[in-house]
Amino acid sequence: MSLLFNITSFEGSLQFLNDYLEIDPKSVIEYVKSDDNDVDVDGFIDIFNISLDKLEHENIEAVALHVTSNNDDCKSIKSTGLLNLQQALTMNTPIKKYLREFQIEFDVSNKLMWFKGNQFDITYNSSWSDDKDERLDSVARKVYFDHQINSFFSIQDVKDYGGRVHEKPEILHNLKELFKADVLEERWKQTCKPYVIKYKAPLDYFAYYSFYLEKYEYEEDYEEKTDLKFWLIKTALYVVWNMVHRRKMPQIFAYMKPEVSIIPNNFLVIIPLNPSD
């Protein structure tokens, strides 16, 4: 049976620390209460005699919150699961159908896009050149560099996130800017409803930058996973500390590997949002 790294709530964070470290919630709360300036993870590990080498990581699944919107009451998502952007632009999804109404189509494999019959090369190149169209490049970047499923391990209110992902897919903003068509965003917001998909996935489904600042840190930690175990403890403690001292969930991002999709069986709950809240 898998162990859930569920820091989407105060209670979930305490439960993970209890299940993973066998430290009761009362002791964890008392520890974080001792310092209102920061959470001392090294001190926590010392006081409770935690040996990172003896901790497992293979059987852990992480819980994350994905924010989306659609006009079919999530019927497509319940059928196909959560898709990355490339899959969503290729398969028969609500966003592909929506873009077709505006005569926008993508050929992801050949790096092409059409708008009203006009063809655009959307090959993404991260290097700068004088003739680069920044607006077209932002579309290419979204499709070929930032197309993974983005979620949150923890957040107070998904509607406060600057990307306003509960209102519309971010790609619509890129297309709106490119074609100077506000209607691309506005009609979606008028016809679609927002949802949070709470799901679980094995740790190795998440991109390394969900847990590490640099790729070399991930590579050096590949075998032992000492830094990963430390991150799991530190981040769960950080959520508890924030709730005890600030009464607020911190914002912690969760990025899936680009090739990963989430099957419906891994959904824990689908939560409708009130967009006016």
Side-chain angles (χ1 to χ4, degrees), residues 50-61:
I50 299 167
S51 174
L52 296 176
D53 293 339
K54 295 181 179 179
L55 294 175
E56 299 292 337
H57 67 276
E58 292 88 352
N59 67 332
I60 297 177
E61 290 186 298

Side-chain angles (χ1 to χ4, degrees), residues 207-223:
Y208 75 87
Y209 43 86
S210 291
F211 313 112
Y212 304 88
L213 292 176
E214 301 290 345
K215 189 172 184 179
Y216 77 86
E217 296 174 333
Y218 160 72
E219 293 170 341
E220 291 177 353
D221 195 44
Y222 188 78
E223 294 295 334

Side-chain angles (χ1 to χ4, degrees), residues 22-40:
E22 297 183 355
I23 301 174
D24 66 274
K26 182 178 179 181
S27 297
V28 174
I29 293 172
E30 287 303 313
Y31 180 81
V32 300
K33 280 183 177 179
S34 65
D35 190 344
D36 58 4
N37 293 314
D38 202 356
V39 56
D40 181 2

Side-chain angles (χ1 to χ4, degrees), residues 17 32 40 47 51 55 61 88-89 92 100 102-104 118 147 163 171 173 179 193 203 240 245:
L17 292 169
V32 300
D40 181 2
I47 286 176
S51 174
L55 294 175
E61 290 186 298
L89 294 174
N92 193 31
R100 192 178 292 146
F102 295 91
Q103 300 180 59
I104 298 173
N118 297 307
H147 58 280
I171 186 68
H173 178 76
F179 298 126
K193 298 177 182 178
L203 291 180
V240 174
H245 292 285

Side-chain angles (χ1 to χ4, degrees), residues 77-101:
I77 288 175
K78 291 174 183 177
S79 174
T80 64
L82 287 179
L83 306 174
N84 65 41
L85 180 60
Q86 291 185 0
Q87 294 168 324
L89 294 174
T90 302
M91 297 171 64
N92 193 31
T93 61
I95 190 168
K96 182 176 181 178
K97 296 175 185 176
Y98 178 79
L99 291 174
R100 192 178 292 146
E101 294 177 15

Side-chain angles (χ1 to χ4, degrees), residues 146-269:
D146 189 25
H147 58 280
Q148 73 283 332
I149 298 169
N150 296 323
S151 306
F152 300 96
F153 285 126
S154 166
I155 192 168
Q156 178 67 23
D157 186 343
V158 298
K159 296 188 292 297
D160 291 337
Y161 174 62
R164 307 295 292 174
V165 289
H166 68 287
E167 293 182 342
K168 83 288 179 189
E170 290 182 324
I171 186 68
L172 291 185
H173 178 76
N174 303 111
L175 292 168
K176 179 197 81 169
E177 293 294 304
L178 174 62
F179 298 126
K180 296 182 171 59
D182 290 348
V183 67
L184 279 170
E185 283 188 325
E186 293 308 315
R187 188 184 298 176
W188 183 278
K189 289 190 285 188
Q190 292 168 6
T191 58
C192 295
K193 298 177 182 178
Y195 303 86
V196 173
I197 314 293
K198 188 176 184 179
Y199 65 90
K200 63 179 181 178
L203 291 180
D204 61 5
Y205 277 36
F206 293 82
Y208 75 87
Y209 43 86
S210 291
F211 313 112
Y212 304 88
L213 292 176
E214 301 290 345
K215 189 172 184 179
Y216 77 86
E217 296 174 333
Y218 160 72
E219 293 170 341
E220 291 177 353
D221 195 44
Y222 188 78
E223 294 295 334
E224 300 298 327
K225 295 292 190 294
T226 303
D227 291 346
L228 175 62
K229 297 169 190 174
F230 184 88
W231 185 92
L232 294 171
I233 297 169
K234 177 189 72 174
T235 310
L237 268 179
Y238 182 63
V239 171
V240 174
W241 185 89
N242 271 271
M243 288 299 291
V244 168
H245 292 285
R246 298 176 178 172
R247 299 290 190 271
K248 186 176 182 180
M249 295 288 289
Q251 181 174 284
I252 303 170
F253 293 101
Y255 304 100
M256 310 311 297
K257 289 179 177 177
E259 68 274 15
V260 163
S261 56
I262 306 297
I263 62 174
N265 283 349
N266 278 12
F267 294 171
L268 300 175
V269 64

